[in-house]
Amino acid sequence: MAYSATVGQTAYRFPDLKTLLARATPARSGDQLAGLAASSDTERVAARIALADLPLKTFLSEALVPYETDEVTRLIMDSHDAGAFAPVASFTVGQWRDWLLSDAATSDALSALAPGLTPEMVAAVSKLMRNQDLITVGRKARVVTAFRTTIGLPGRLSVRLQPNHPTDDPKAIAASILDGLMYGSGDATIGINPATDSVGRCLELLSMIDDLRRRFDVPVQSCVLAHVTTLIQVMERGGPVDLVFQSIAGSQAANRSFGIDLSILKEAHQAATSLKRGTVGQNVMYFETGQGSALSAEAHHGLDQQTMEVRAYAVARAFDPLLVNTVVGFIGPEYLYDGKQIIRAGLEDHCCGKLLGLPMGVDVCYTNHAEADQDDMDTLLTLLGVAGCSYIMGVPGADDVMLSYQSTSFHDANYVRGVLGLRPAPEFEAWLTRMGVMDAGGRVRPALAAGSGARRLIDGVAT
């Protein structure tokens, strides 16, 4: 079916829904690379006019990736909750945007609506939104998950402590973990990207974190971000696996490029759930995504990169994860060219993930060859804090020496918590207070002036 709109004296025609969505998307280098982007701002406005008049229910009858050949499409269509969708079933995309910005779209209403939404609906409405709209809606959409800490509560911002090392040196990783804990980071997870993806290395790193957790009664969950099949083997050997990690994408072919399918994820989810290692909840999965991954795998099916990104969230939603985050600027300037594009994409991903019912965090990051800098990341970090982002990354010095990209530091996390009055997860905050790392006003204290609990932790890690 073709779609059309007129701007001024010029009529624009879009031959199918894929083209309409692509042309309506804010400018980004990945869509230009794929030959999908609008040729001008005027064409982009025309596409948005046509998209605004499109009935939401169109996305239930027109699959953008063929149902017969793509298991992600089958998951989206087969799991759709018609009852949850009913309150907005008569809306166009534009009418739904207006409703999302209205007082009627409360946090409870958005939670009830989430099972009735498809990723394509959510991607479509985000293309009609300004940045302030994405912030407003993302803030209202609240998703709470739990394992040993509770993530996503109002007034809270959690941090993944990311102590990566280029040779997986346990002492260096332990030093980074200690540094992060002393800055109040780690309540989302202590998550290590291993330099070597092996069962033995995972067992070593997970055992080290688990020993630290048990010795000092730290309410955190650990994760080694190895391939899901590696973590399945670790669990078979009795390793202390809290969270199972995997990078995911929005099509069967793109997921195949990661060496996974839905059945492998289901096996891992069942295995981790059966361990029952959580204390306040049993959400056991951790997923990462990023705009451009499907295009880089030549598995985007002619869809724009943001729509493909949101389709990945349907995969995540099927497994009730504790954590999901977009690594928004990590893939590089081929997909998000500069700070402006990274900021826009980060706000889109956060808002769209939350609308679909996900505990959405963002790795506020960029590669060294992108047209971006730490000032851009400060801007995005602040906007995400206002938008109610569930968690961010805490990287020593904001410079990941193993993955060679720039992210956010422990200090950055304390900045955004401080200026916006946000606290860590309640279980972790209580521990920080008990250890003398955080005072009654929620302020992190210098390690040398910290209480005896913090000194015991420092001395214990050092030995």
Side-chain angles (χ1 to χ4, degrees):
M1 178 178 177
Y3 305 89
S4 61
T6 300
V7 178
Q9 302 299 314
T10 304
Y12 291 87
R13 183 179 181 276
F14 309 98
D16 52 35
L17 190 50
K18 286 184 184 181
T19 304
L20 179 65
L21 289 169
R23 300 295 194 270
T25 304
R28 63 204 59 194
S29 53
D31 291 337
Q32 294 167 343
L33 178 67
L36 301 173
S39 60
S40 66
D41 288 337
T42 306
E43 184 186 20
R44 187 171 293 111
V45 168
R48 290 176 181 172
I49 291 171
L51 183 60
D53 291 336
L54 184 75
L56 270 181
K57 60 186 178 183
T58 304
F59 294 104
L60 298 175
S61 58
E62 188 171 343
L64 299 180
V65 181
Y67 181 94
E68 296 76 14
T69 59
D70 187 84
E71 66 175 359
V72 176
T73 298
R74 293 195 292 274
L75 172 67
I76 292 167
M77 295 299 191
D78 295 349
S79 63
H80 179 255
D81 187 330
F85 180 61
V88 298
S90 64
F91 287 178
T92 64
V93 177
Q95 289 170 332
W96 186 38
R97 171 192 173 274
D98 293 343
W99 181 84
L100 287 170
L101 294 170
S102 75
D103 292 337
T106 63
S107 294
D108 288 343
L110 293 177
S111 295
L113 180 61
L117 301 177
T118 70
E120 292 84 356
M121 294 175 188
V122 173
V125 78
S126 73
K127 297 175 193 298
L128 304 183
M129 291 183 174
R130 295 169 57 185
N131 285 2
Q132 66 174 248
D133 300 339
L134 296 169
I135 293 168
T136 298
V137 175
R139 185 175 181 83
K140 290 194 290 185
R142 282 287 171 183
V143 182
V144 179
T145 57
F147 190 78
R148 293 194 188 97
T149 61
T150 305
I151 310 298
L153 291 168
R156 307 280 177 171
L157 175 68
S158 296
V159 183
R160 170 190 159 191
L161 202 170
Q162 185 170 312
N164 297 342
H165 189 270
T167 64
D168 290 333
D169 183 339
K171 291 183 179 180
I173 290 172
S176 292
I177 291 173
L178 175 61
D179 190 26
L181 292 174
M182 290 297 97
Y183 273 98
S185 292
D187 51 334
T189 187
I190 298 176
I192 304 169
N193 296 90
T196 302
D197 189 332
S198 70
V199 173
R201 183 56 53 84
C202 285
L203 276 167
E204 178 186 16
L205 295 176
L206 286 170
S207 297
M208 179 185 71
I209 302 173
D210 202 53
D211 176 66
L212 175 67
R213 176 187 67 82
R214 289 185 287 103
R215 285 171 61 196
F216 296 98
D217 195 26
V218 193
V220 295
Q221 40 277 337
S222 62
C223 185
V224 172
L225 282 68
H227 194 268
V228 63
T229 55
T230 303
L231 292 169
I232 289 173
Q233 294 179 68
V234 172
M235 287 187 280
E236 290 172 346
R237 295 192 186 185
V241 174
D242 292 339
L243 305 183
V244 173
F245 168 81
Q246 183 55 50
S247 295
I248 56 174
S251 72
Q252 180 175 334
N255 283 324
R256 189 183 301 121
S257 76
F258 289 141
I260 62 165
D261 57 25
L262 297 181
S263 66
I264 292 174
L265 295 178
K266 182 178 180 180
E267 178 185 353
H269 178 256
Q270 291 175 339
T273 301
S274 71
L275 299 178
K276 300 186 185 304
R277 290 175 57 84
T279 55
V280 296
Q282 295 297 331
N283 299 112
V284 297
M285 302 300 284
Y286 175 17
F287 296 115
E288 282 191 341
T289 67
Q291 289 192 29
S293 60
L295 176 57
S296 67
E298 297 184 352
H300 64 295
H301 296 274
L303 283 172
D304 66 272
Q305 67 182 40
Q306 190 252 344
T307 300
M308 285 301 298
E309 167 74 6
V310 185
R311 281 173 56 92
Y313 303 158
V315 176
R317 181 170 62 174
F319 298 98
D320 298 319
L322 178 74
L323 306 169
V324 180
N325 69 259
T326 168
V327 192
V328 66
F330 180 74
I331 301 180
E334 300 87 351
Y335 304 99
L336 295 169
Y337 179 71
D338 57 14
K340 179 180 177 65
Q341 292 186 10
I342 293 171
I343 289 167
R344 172 70 192 192
L347 295 176
E348 288 172 347
D349 295 350
H350 173 260
C351 179
C352 291
K354 285 285 187 67
L355 280 176
L356 287 169
L358 292 179
M360 205 68 193
V362 177
D363 189 345
V364 180
C365 63
Y366 64 102
T367 57
N368 290 318
H369 62 309
E371 289 294 322
D373 57 28
Q374 213 65 36
D375 286 339
D376 296 315
M377 299 306 104
D378 286 349
T379 299
L380 178 54
L381 172 63
T382 306
L383 294 175
L384 287 167
V386 175
C389 186
S390 295
Y391 70 102
I392 59 170
M393 307 300 121
V395 177
D399 183 359
D400 193 304
V401 296
M402 196 277 280
L403 294 175
S404 297
Y405 80 116
Q406 308 303 312
S407 185
T408 45
S409 69
F410 309 136
H411 178 273
D412 295 332
N414 284 331
Y415 147 73
V416 76
R417 282 173 173 168
V419 296
L420 297 177
L422 302 171
R423 298 291 191 94
E427 302 86 356
F428 192 66
E429 180 181 19
W431 180 82
L432 291 171
T433 303
R434 186 169 71 249
M435 297 296 286
V437 176
M438 181 172 284
D439 66 16
R443 296 167 297 190
V444 172
R445 304 165 71 181
L448 293 178
S452 60
R455 293 304 312 170
R456 284 193 298 106
L457 180 62
I458 294 169
D459 293 341
V461 173
T463 56

